[in-house]
Amino acid sequence: MIVLDQENRVFTLHTLNTTYQMKADQYNVLLHTYYGSRLEDCDFSALIRCDDRSFTPNPSEAGNNRNYSLDVMPQEYSTCGVGDFRLPAIELELANGSHTADLRYEGFRLEKGKYTLEGLPGFYSTEDEAETLVIILKDIAAQVVLELYYSVFEIYDLITRTVRVINQGTEEIRLCRCASLCLDYLRSDMDLITFNAHNLMERCLDRGPLRSGIQSVGSVRGISSHQHNPFVILCDRDANEEMGMCYGAMLLYSGNFEMAVECSQYENSRLVMGIHPYHFCFTLTQGQVFTAPEAAMVCSPNGFGQMSRQYHRAIRKHLLRDPYEGRRKPVLVNNWEATYFDFNADRLVGLAREASALGIELFVMDDGWFGSRNNDNSGLGDWQVNLEKLPGGLEALVPRIKNMGMKFGIWMEPEMVNEDSHLYSVHPDWVLHVPGRAPSRGRGQLVLDFSRKDVRDHIYEQMKEVLSSADISYLKWDMNRSLTDVWSAALTARSQGEVYHRYVLGVYDLLERLHCDYPHILIEGCCGGGGRFDGGMLYYTPQIWCSDDTDAIDRLRIQYGTSFCYPACTMGAHVSAVPNEQNGRITPLKTRGITAMSGAFGYEMDLGKCTAVEKMEIQRQVDSYKTHYDLLHDGDYYRLSSPFQDNAYTAWEQVSADQREALVSVVYDRIGAAPLFDTLRLKGLNPTFQYRIEGTDSLHSGEELMRSGYSISQKQEDYFAFQIFLRAVE
Ligand code: DGJ
């Protein structure tokens, strides 16, 4: 609910559990006055203290009032060069060379439903599911208008934001920074949580106290990256899963980003999040508009669990676009770890036949089916079927798979080209490169200039030929290197600061074309695993391959970190062979199944090599996944323990919306000679319901299971895992 106090120019956004407020003050500065637990209407600006502090300048309108300074007051969208020395949200270069931005309140408007962003991903709603406030700020001298957009999704405690910058002057301006979110706090006694690490170990949780100065994470790799994720949390120092104030901030963007928090001199803090300012500079001529990517905030006064569940619900309902319109997504088998590049049609059909007999429903043909692609140094860019490997093309192969009752999926890496390819021999100028420099290779490949429409059109024509040639239900869109040598032959020297962003817009453009032309195709995002696992990609690719590390124990940490923002149904997770291809670890098949099942489930191994006992276990896993699909995909997610803490096990739980069913998964990652008698306290149950534990006659009340817990113990077996299914009895 949006509440306006027009007389006092106070704007209050209420969600179910939270309140967000801003106010235009006597000098038309837009102050941020409150964000936290829901409080009924009042003007929180009384909390803001002003004092005469030296070296904190006073705007000219303040006259001799030395108590008023932008440098200490919480700003809704911070400016630069006019007295606030903390992190700027915006930086402008005007035609006269000045680098100042001074934004003052001009007005507001209300809109029904959620705002839309042209060419950029964002949450969506009907007119009744969200409401929008637009605050208009203006830099009068620069003739620049800023529109700050806020959409409120009340039941999810979700507030989405974006900013539009409009050049209303006659002279060109250059936008050197344009954050999507600026959030000032009258405190700095908080922890910062970020999700970091590297390829094969993405989104590991890192938590530490805010310190004086600036702490930041981000990416200048042209992708949101394996190293840092565009999702962060600020929280009370003692916040945990159930208690404490937490502020989640998510950027729906798949390219360079920066998230910085500054603790300032008087122990206030500011979070700024948006496109990374490295090599970012957009020129706006008269009338031109720049739209920043969307940011999405969820505040939870009751710990991380509630914050995550609110994000999950909102993402599932208002961000993902479901090609299967609510129908269950198929269990898939992917041939990559089974064959790598070494396959032909018969080998694929053989793999599919084994899978189909076990109840697997979708066969995905990974890298290696096109051009001269027999290793990773050639073929990218030539999206024509390799007829030596697949005689008769997809027209011949796909019916053979479909005749087994399976769907067919295919892999592509549209943004890339190998020098050893027909495309490169004809269009060497289409790659990102700086004139006079030989571009760096990554995995032996170069990056196509996706900021250019002609390049995208050419790739899309090739993709359409493939996708229209057979009955294809799934596409894995891969991307296997970071961007370097970022320069576009299609732009002038002055506009090169636009290339990184235009590249991302180009990727979104092609994904949107696919979405419109092939609405029935499920696109799984991938970037050497989870290098582009972000809210932007999720709008186009409702599931993303979580990591190239398929080891069930490493996956505990990866999927745990990912779950803080992103719902389980978005995380591509496969059972693979042992010893694991990435780290050599041997885990039981059951453990691998339980870990992968809490994601978009599939297999990535040669099932023909499995023993009869293993095949029975796989069939059981597939059946179990299908039985519990709604719970696993749409259930409320509870983290019961952390793989980053000193437990012998990691446990999590999915609970149905009506609390009548719950599935608990427990994976031990170490064994002891004298194992502990552990008690697992469950969460999210109805305290008054009686639950029966599947496979036993015992009944337990929800209250008992949540308060005194359920006794679990470990078998003397490496990486032992089990699940507990609970159903409420009438
Ligand atoms: C990287 C992906 O993450 C893998 O799953 C696989 O598709 C390879 N690329 C293929 O080259």
Side-chain angles (χ1 to χ4, degrees):
M1 183 177 42
I2 298 176
V3 179
L4 305 175
D5 172 355
Q6 293 202 50
E7 197 187 328
N8 296 305
R9 305 195 300 179
V10 174
F11 306 91
T12 308
L13 315 180
H14 289 301
T15 69
L16 190 63
N17 298 295
T18 70
T19 295
Y20 184 99
Q21 193 186 76
M22 55 207 131
K23 174 189 171 90
D25 74 5
Q26 70 271 34
Y27 303 126
N28 293 323
V29 170
L30 188 65
L31 300 176
H32 175 74
T33 57
Y34 179 77
Y35 192 25
S37 297
R38 181 163 176 150
L39 293 170
E40 289 321 312
D41 304 324
C42 61
D43 177 348
F44 297 105
S45 60
L47 295 171
I48 300 172
R49 302 231 331 258
C50 303
D51 240 337
D52 180 4
R53 299 281 163 100
S54 45
F55 292 89
T56 57
N58 321 109
S60 85
E61 305 95 308
N64 290 329
N65 177 4
R66 294 197 194 175
N67 287 340
Y68 187 98
S69 174
L70 299 178
D71 200 23
V72 291
M73 299 171 80
Q75 306 291 316
E76 183 58 28
Y77 196 77
S78 56
T79 54
C80 63
V82 292
D84 182 350
F85 299 101
R86 296 166 293 172
L87 286 168
I90 190 163
E91 249 184 277
L92 292 177
E93 185 185 305
L94 303 186
N96 62 14
S98 65
H99 264 256
T100 53
D102 194 3
L103 299 164
R104 300 303 167 104
Y105 174 79
E106 281 266 306
F108 74 93
R109 58 178 196 270
L110 287 175
E111 293 172 1
K112 277 193 173 166
K114 159 88 199 313
Y115 58 82
T116 50
L117 298 120
E118 211 181 305
L120 280 162
F123 285 83
Y124 56 83
S125 81
T126 62
E127 282 205 345
D128 307 327
E129 290 167 328
E131 46 182 340
T132 296
L133 170 69
V134 187
I135 301 269
I136 298 141
L137 306 177
K138 187 163 185 177
D139 182 324
I140 293 170
Q143 284 298 294
V144 172
V145 165
L146 252 76
E147 293 180 338
L148 308 182
Y149 284 75
Y150 301 82
S151 282
V152 180
F153 289 76
E154 199 165 333
I155 58 172
Y156 306 108
D157 294 316
L158 176 80
I159 300 175
T160 65
R161 298 172 60 164
T162 190
V163 178
R164 277 160 49 94
V165 182
I166 308 155
N167 180 4
Q168 288 191 336
T170 50
E171 293 184 303
E172 211 173 79
I173 59 163
R174 283 160 71 73
L175 189 60
C176 313
R177 180 191 295 262
C178 181
S180 301
L181 173 152
C182 171
L183 199 48
D184 272 10
Y185 299 87
L186 292 174
R187 56 181 290 209
S188 61
D189 56 337
M190 290 188 282
D191 278 355
L192 171 65
I193 300 180
T194 54
F195 299 88
N196 318 303
H198 50 82
N199 173 233
L200 299 170
M201 188 45 79
E202 296 89 339
R203 292 171 297 287
C204 290
L205 183 144
D206 183 29
R207 177 175 185 168
L210 288 185
R211 294 189 304 268
S212 292
I214 297 172
Q215 285 160 262
S216 75
V217 292
S219 165
V220 290
R221 294 166 181 271
I223 47 177
S224 49
S225 87
H226 304 84
Q227 287 72 12
H228 302 289
N229 194 260
F231 171 69
V232 299
I233 303 168
L234 281 173
C235 59
D236 285 348
R237 292 252 160 96
D238 59 355
N240 60 28
E241 286 292 330
E242 276 93 37
M243 55 149 271
M245 186 63 76
C246 343
Y247 301 93
M250 164 193 189
L251 187 69
L252 288 84
Y253 192 60
S254 313
N256 290 351
F257 77 95
E258 185 181 53
M259 181 295 307
V261 193
E262 178 168 6
C263 288
S264 49
Q265 52 181 340
Y266 299 116
E267 293 184 353
N268 294 339
S269 53
R270 170 174 295 164
L271 169 66
V272 174
M273 199 172 189
I275 295 179
H276 201 294
Y278 166 69
H279 202 0
F280 170 82
C281 190
F282 244 79
T283 303
L284 298 180
T285 55
Q286 184 174 10
Q288 277 191 329
V289 179
F290 178 85
T291 306
E294 179 159 295
M297 313 180 295
V298 169
C299 166
S300 157
N302 304 309
F304 307 126
Q306 180 177 308
M307 177 205 68
S308 296
R309 287 186 289 280
Q310 290 291 56
Y311 269 120
H312 295 174
R313 292 175 187 129
I315 289 172
R316 284 195 303 253
K317 188 90 199 303
H318 295 282
L319 181 62
L320 306 181
R321 297 181 295 176
D322 177 9
Y324 297 157
E325 295 171 334
R327 277 170 288 129
R328 188 173 56 70
K329 286 195 267 179
V331 180
L332 69 81
V333 63
N334 176 305
N335 72 304
W336 178 242
E337 288 196 13
T339 65
Y340 295 107
F341 296 106
D342 182 20
F343 60 82
N344 58 27
D346 290 342
R347 179 95 201 272
L348 296 182
V349 170
L351 292 173
R353 186 171 298 116
E354 292 286 350
S356 151
L358 300 174
I360 295 171
E361 301 153 302
L362 165 68
F363 179 80
V364 178
M365 177 174 68
D366 209 280
D367 193 356
W369 57 267
F370 52 91
S372 57
R373 188 75 169 168
N374 290 315
N375 58 51
D376 54 16
N377 285 321
S378 74
L380 291 174
D382 297 341
W383 300 107
Q384 293 89 33
V385 175
N386 177 335
L387 295 174
E388 275 173 36
K389 285 186 179 176
L390 308 178
L394 297 184
E395 293 88 332
L397 174 67
V398 176
R400 291 176 73 190
I401 307 278
K402 293 215 67 193
N403 283 343
M404 295 171 206
M406 290 183 100
K407 294 176 189 289
F408 182 81
I410 197 166
W411 177 98
M412 290 193 186
E413 192 175 358
E415 298 154 71
M416 297 294 154
V417 68
N418 286 116
E419 288 147 281
D420 181 6
S421 68
H422 175 69
L423 182 71
Y424 187 78
S425 69
V426 183
H427 294 293
D429 53 319
W430 278 9
V431 300
L432 288 176
H433 70 287
V434 178
R437 282 185 207 276
S440 304
R441 296 183 191 96
R443 202 195 183 194
Q445 61 202 48
L446 302 177
V447 186
L448 289 171
D449 181 357
F450 258 42
S451 72
R452 287 173 59 165
K453 185 167 179 305
D454 55 345
V455 175
R456 298 197 302 271
D457 285 349
H458 180 88
I459 295 295
Y460 192 53
E461 284 310 311
Q462 291 195 58
M463 294 178 81
K464 280 204 310 201
E465 285 272 314
V466 174
L467 296 175
S468 305
S469 70
D471 187 358
I472 294 176
S473 309
Y474 164 106
L475 168 68
K476 178 171 169 186
W477 177 305
D478 205 348
M479 195 292 186
N480 282 300
R481 58 160 293 179
S482 309
L483 271 52
T484 58
D485 307 281
V486 173
W487 187 90
S488 174
L491 292 172
T492 62
R494 209 169 147 69
S495 298
Q496 293 300 323
E498 303 181 8
V499 183
Y500 272 114
H501 182 55
R502 288 190 183 279
Y503 180 94
V504 178
L505 295 179
V507 172
Y508 291 156
D509 166 58
L510 216 57
L511 283 162
E512 186 62 23
R513 287 198 232 173
L514 277 171
H515 173 78
C516 294
D517 293 345
Y518 301 93
H520 61 283
I521 293 188
L522 169 66
I523 311 177
E524 174 155 354
C526 177
C527 179
R532 211 159 49 176
F533 202 121
D534 56 68
M537 286 306 283
L538 283 177
Y539 180 68
Y540 306 97
T541 66
Q543 65 191 47
I544 298 178
W545 182 225
C546 213
S547 175
D548 268 351
D549 186 345
T550 57
D551 169 55
I553 302 306
D554 284 355
R555 276 292 186 122
L556 294 176
R557 279 190 279 161
I558 296 167
Q559 292 174 199
Y560 172 87
T562 308
S563 77
F564 274 76
C565 179
Y566 310 104
C569 64
T570 63
M571 300 182 209
H574 300 169
V575 175
S576 61
V578 290
N580 178 266
E581 289 279 318
Q582 290 78 41
N583 64 10
R585 196 186 331 249
I586 298 179
T587 50
L589 181 55
K590 183 170 176 191
T591 303
R592 283 174 271 152
I594 288 176
T595 305
M597 214 180 269
S598 269
F601 185 49
Y603 290 80
E604 181 144 350
M605 59 199 281
D606 184 346
L607 298 167
K609 292 187 177 155
C610 294
T611 63
V613 174
E614 287 171 333
K615 284 184 182 171
M616 269 167 59
E617 168 59 15
I618 290 173
Q619 204 156 17
R620 192 201 58 75
Q621 290 174 2
V622 171
D623 287 347
S624 164
Y625 177 74
K626 290 177 186 172
T627 307
H628 298 306
Y629 182 88
D630 290 343
L631 203 48
L632 289 163
H633 273 237
D634 297 331
D636 282 333
Y637 192 86
Y638 291 85
R639 290 173 290 266
L640 302 182
S641 72
S642 161
F644 293 97
Q645 281 166 6
D646 206 20
N647 299 317
Y649 61 86
T650 301
W652 63 96
E653 178 189 0
Q654 278 111 333
V655 182
S656 63
D658 62 5
Q659 297 174 302
R660 301 202 72 83
E661 290 190 351
L663 185 67
V664 179
S665 303
V666 183
V667 179
Y668 281 83
D669 64 15
R670 78 199 76 132
I671 47 169
L676 299 180
F677 305 112
D678 283 308
T679 305
L680 198 56
R681 279 199 289 279
L682 306 191
K683 295 181 184 171
L685 304 177
N686 187 317
T688 65
F689 287 0
Q690 291 290 319
Y691 292 90
R692 185 183 306 284
I693 311 251
E694 192 182 52
T696 75
D697 289 332
S698 54
L699 284 180
H700 304 266
S701 74
E703 183 162 38
E704 176 198 333
L705 290 165
M706 292 193 292
R707 286 183 186 272
S708 62
Y710 185 72
S711 172
I712 58 168
S713 53
Q714 176 205 327
K715 250 176 49 185
Q716 294 302 85
E717 178 184 305
D718 252 349
Y719 309 115
F720 171 63
F722 60 91
Q723 285 177 315
I724 310 166
F725 177 62
L726 302 94
R727 195 197 297 274
V729 293
E730 292 310 319

